[in-house]
Amino acid sequence: MKMLVFLALLGLHSAAAVIHSLKYFYTGSSQVPNFPEYMDVGMVDEVQISYCDSNTKRNEPKADWMNKVTADDPQYWEDMTQTCLDSQLTFKNNIETAKQRFNQTGDVHIYQQMYGCEWDDETGVVNGFNQYGYDGEDFIVLDLKTETWIAPKQQAVITKHKWDHKKAFKSQTKNYLTQECPDWLKKYVNYGKSSLMRTERPTLSLLQKTPSSPVSCHATGFYPHRATMFWRKDGEELHEDVEHREILPNHDGSFQMSVDLKLSSVKPEDWRKYECVFQLSGVKDDIITKLDKAVIRTNEGKTGIRSDGGSSEFPVGVVIGVVVVLLLLVAAIIGYVLWKKNKDKDGFKPANTSDTFSSSSSSSSSSSSS
């Protein structure tokens, strides 16, 4: 599955044009205890802007600046709510269809859709995407360049043939992803520019669970998410014995990330040659912290005092914060998390055969969700 990739994961260490994104995550579920049968989440530049589920039956703004949309479109939230209700029925039917095709009965099942667009505010280039998943794996994905659908699973081939031959549906989908979606994205960015275009530098810490564990360079409180962080030795970026972790959201709308360095490859006399470098889009100066035992915060409790005079104990609050953020993220977009977790397992595998999935959720969302 071709997911959008943060600039940070591309390893771009210099300031670049801002690529804005608008994404919608739709999730239908079956027999998941204490969880809505349907939910949808809207996000602009990885910031949540809307939420609706089968319990609330209302689509509501999740960013204050999204209330400005009604000045241009008084019926906006009513239309969004109707899309949510319509998609709920479609996703429920599609789960039942999928269960039949996979010869399944009860148990927990999840059907997902992620669609939207990205826009380069410097070049004006836009890109759209629309993809579906079932039970944590790719099901069917749109190739916008060829205007055809890719079916990684044999059970989706019928859907592929059906949608490939729906000329009106393809035309509508392409128009939404390449025209309407970018237009709405530009409006949203304008509404929230004071928040979305702000710059906040992070706090950097060196963390270590035990003396034999990797040292984690942890940055938190930065914005935007277009950032990268890496370890280097003698001015050269390291690629071996280094593990980059995902950028995660904080509860206040800022972000956090970590990059680990295995100490087994570091000679004691070479510690002073290593440093962690954080780079934020739009900020010229790098934020650098040297590999220094005196400033490493651990959970051993007796590993010395940081150079700033603070305790060197591992910040439990950071760990709890990460866990809480992850739980909230999973609660909001559980389908996306499962999909992403499994996306590298199978990849795309051409298949052959057929089916009758409804595309109404895609077409309705593409024409009225935004």
Side-chain angles (χ1 to χ4, degrees), residues 101-139:
R101 293 186 186 164
F102 284 89
N103 295 319
Q104 299 168 334
T105 52
D107 208 355
V108 173
H109 296 287
I110 296 176
Y111 180 69
Q112 312 129 247
Q113 179 187 13
M114 183 185 82
Y115 74 94
C117 58
E118 60 179 2
W119 160 59
D120 187 319
D121 68 359
E122 183 175 89
T123 65
V125 172
V126 299
N127 180 46
F129 46 91
N130 191 5
Q131 46 211 42
Y132 296 78
Y134 179 65
D135 283 354
E137 296 183 353
D138 296 332
F139 185 78

Side-chain angles (χ1 to χ4, degrees), residues 43 247-249 324-334 336-337:
M43 303 186 79
I247 294 179
L248 297 173
V324 170
V325 167
L326 285 173
L327 289 176
L328 290 174
L329 188 61
V330 170
I333 50 175
I334 184 173
Y336 170 62
V337 174

Side-chain angles (χ1 to χ4, degrees), residues 183-197:
D183 287 346
W184 279 105
L185 173 55
K186 293 171 186 177
K187 287 185 180 181
Y188 298 151
V189 170
N190 185 56
Y191 295 147
K193 59 184 177 183
S194 62
S195 175
L196 296 173
M197 303 303 286

Side-chain angles (χ1 to χ4, degrees), residues 27-32 35-39 53-55 88 91-92 95:
T27 300
S29 62
S30 172
Q31 298 188 28
V32 179
F35 197 79
E37 288 187 349
Y38 174 80
M39 63 168 59
D53 66 37
S54 52
N55 294 336
Q88 177 183 342
F91 272 51
K92 186 173 184 178
I95 287 178

Side-chain angles (χ1 to χ4, degrees), residues 31-234:
Q31 298 188 28
V32 179
N34 303 314
F35 197 79
E37 288 187 349
Y38 174 80
M39 63 168 59
D40 73 50
V41 176
M43 303 186 79
V44 169
D45 292 354
E46 312 309 320
V47 174
Q48 187 177 352
I49 62 168
S50 64
Y51 177 81
C52 177
D53 66 37
S54 52
N55 294 336
T56 64
K57 294 180 172 59
R58 286 292 305 172
N59 210 318
E60 300 175 333
K62 288 299 179 180
D64 292 340
W65 43 267
M66 277 298 290
N67 287 304
K68 298 177 182 179
V69 70
T70 53
D72 295 328
D73 184 356
Q75 293 295 117
Y76 179 87
W77 292 109
E78 285 73 15
D79 291 342
M80 290 282 280
T81 293
Q82 190 58 53
T83 294
C84 176
L85 298 177
D86 291 344
S87 297
Q88 177 183 342
L89 295 175
T90 300
F91 272 51
K92 186 173 184 178
N93 292 334
N94 284 348
I95 287 178
E96 293 305 313
T97 301
K99 286 164 63 176
Q100 294 175 14
R101 293 186 186 164
F102 284 89
N103 295 319
Q104 299 168 334
T105 52
D107 208 355
V108 173
H109 296 287
I110 296 176
Y111 180 69
Q112 312 129 247
Q113 179 187 13
M114 183 185 82
Y115 74 94
C117 58
E118 60 179 2
W119 160 59
D120 187 319
D121 68 359
E122 183 175 89
T123 65
V125 172
V126 299
N127 180 46
F129 46 91
N130 191 5
Q131 46 211 42
Y132 296 78
Y134 179 65
D135 283 354
E137 296 183 353
D138 296 332
F139 185 78
I140 191 166
V141 182
L142 175 65
D143 184 334
L144 195 55
K145 291 182 179 180
T146 62
E147 297 184 39
T148 59
W149 292 86
I150 299 172
K153 296 292 183 182
Q154 184 169 342
Q155 291 85 350
V157 175
I158 294 176
T159 304
K160 166 186 165 53
H161 292 323
K162 178 181 177 182
W163 290 0
D164 278 347
H165 288 88
K166 279 190 170 183
K167 293 185 178 180
F169 172 57
K170 287 202 300 182
S171 176
Q172 180 185 21
T173 301
K174 181 179 179 180
N175 181 69
Y176 173 78
L177 296 177
T178 60
Q179 300 294 328
E180 294 182 42
C181 180
D183 287 346
W184 279 105
L185 173 55
K186 293 171 186 177
K187 287 185 180 181
Y188 298 151
V189 170
N190 185 56
Y191 295 147
K193 59 184 177 183
S194 62
S195 175
L196 296 173
M197 303 303 286
R198 75 185 191 276
T199 298
E200 294 180 6
R201 296 164 68 91
T203 297
L204 256 62
S205 302
L206 296 183
L207 313 176
Q208 187 180 30
K209 293 181 180 179
T210 69
S212 60
S213 302
V215 171
S216 177
C217 185
H218 181 75
T220 187
F222 63 88
Y223 191 92
H225 68 277
R226 294 177 294 276
T228 188
M229 188 162 62
F230 54 95
W231 283 98
R232 68 186 180 192
K233 177 185 178 184
D234 292 330

